[in-house]
């Protein structure tokens, strides 16, 4: 792989990792704080707040990140063919794609149903438990995807250093010799 292609692949991998992390964090905060806080509210408040969140979250930044994480993870998996980090990129893609499907198949339809006219108690009963459970699933899947992408990024960086002659300070063979402690001049400590 040429240096430019490797650099581009590393950039895509890095952006995929950040986008996936943002989505994992979004789902995680709902597991950790938003839904437990809303569980304390009455039915009318619960339904109204979740409707408002559903309306507000459908914005260009979220949609670009949510869809972009899937696309970028697919691209990074393709670009990782023949590399040591392919399996990590592929595992990330599978995990994120499953979380994406959970969102499309379960969370979005539940959100749409919550916008129906009806008794807030009945709407909440049909919505809260399944939405919370499916959100936990997608939070877990996107977090697994993030971990896999982070591992792929580490392996990608390691292969970059190993493939470049004189890549950096981690390659001890390329460091300049210290003239004061070279073979002709032993170190003062006698080591």
């Amino acid at each position: 792989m040429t240096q430019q292609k490797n650099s581009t692949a590393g950039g895509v991998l890095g952006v995929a990792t950040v986008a996936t992390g943002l989505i994992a964090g979004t789902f995680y905060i709902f597991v950790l704080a938003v839904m437990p806080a809303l569980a304390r509210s009455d039915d009318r408040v619960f339904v109204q707040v979740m409707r408002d969140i559903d309306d507000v979250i459908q914005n260009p930044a979220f949609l670009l990140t949510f869809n972009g994480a899937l696309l970028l993870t697919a691209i990074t998996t393709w670009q990782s063919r023949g590399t040591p980090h392919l399996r990590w990129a592929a595992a990330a893609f599978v995990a994120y794609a499953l979380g994406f499907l959970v969102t499309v198949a379960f969370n979005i339809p539940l959100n749409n149903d919550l916008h129906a006219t009806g008794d807030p108690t009945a709407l909440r009963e049909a919505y809260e438990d399944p939405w919370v459970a499916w959100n936990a699933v997608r939070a877990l899947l996107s977090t697994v995807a993030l971990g896999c992408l982070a591992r792929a990024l580490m392996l990608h960086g390691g292969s970059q250093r190993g493939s470049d002659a004189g890549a950096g300070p981690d390659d001890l063979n390329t460091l300049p010799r210290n003239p004061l402690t070279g073979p002709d001049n032993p170190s003062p400590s006698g080591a």
Side-chain angles (χ1 to χ4, degrees):
M1 186 179 286
T2 68
Q3 183 66 24
Q4 184 175 356
K5 284 183 182 177
N6 212 353
S7 176
T8 302
V12 173
L13 176 56
V15 175
T17 304
V18 170
T20 301
L22 290 169
I23 296 302
T26 300
F27 295 156
Y28 179 67
I29 199 66
F30 272 86
V31 170
L32 191 67
V34 174
M35 298 312 289
L38 281 175
R40 297 177 175 186
S41 65
D42 66 50
D43 297 336
R44 185 190 56 73
V45 169
F46 177 91
V47 170
Q48 188 58 53
V49 169
M50 285 307 294
R51 284 175 176 169
D52 289 344
I53 289 171
D54 185 48
D55 288 342
V56 170
I57 205 161
Q58 295 180 52
N59 65 68
F62 177 79
L63 295 174
L64 180 64
T65 307
F66 179 66
N67 293 313
L70 181 65
L71 178 63
L72 291 167
T73 303
I75 291 169
T76 204
T77 300
W78 177 260
Q79 290 177 328
S80 298
R81 292 168 297 139
T83 69
H85 60 275
L86 171 62
R87 65 181 174 177
W88 293 101
F93 175 70
V94 168
Y96 192 85
L98 288 172
F100 189 94
L101 290 173
V102 164
T103 301
V104 171
F106 300 106
N107 293 94
I108 291 174
L110 285 165
N111 289 345
N112 293 340
D113 292 347
L114 193 62
H115 285 278
T117 305
D119 174 48
T121 301
L123 289 171
R124 182 177 184 171
E125 262 182 41
Y127 178 87
E128 187 174 16
D129 288 343
W131 194 94
V132 166
W134 287 116
N135 184 65
V137 170
R138 68 186 182 166
L140 177 64
L141 289 167
S142 59
T143 302
V144 167
L146 174 61
C148 291
L149 285 170
R151 180 66 178 145
L153 197 56
M154 289 171 52
L155 290 171
H156 177 78
S159 69
Q160 281 289 99
R161 278 193 305 277
S163 66
D164 295 338
D170 291 336
D171 186 355
L172 296 178
N173 294 326
T174 63
L175 293 177
R177 287 189 162 201
N178 183 340
L180 299 177
T181 60
D184 297 328
N185 298 321
S187 69
S189 66

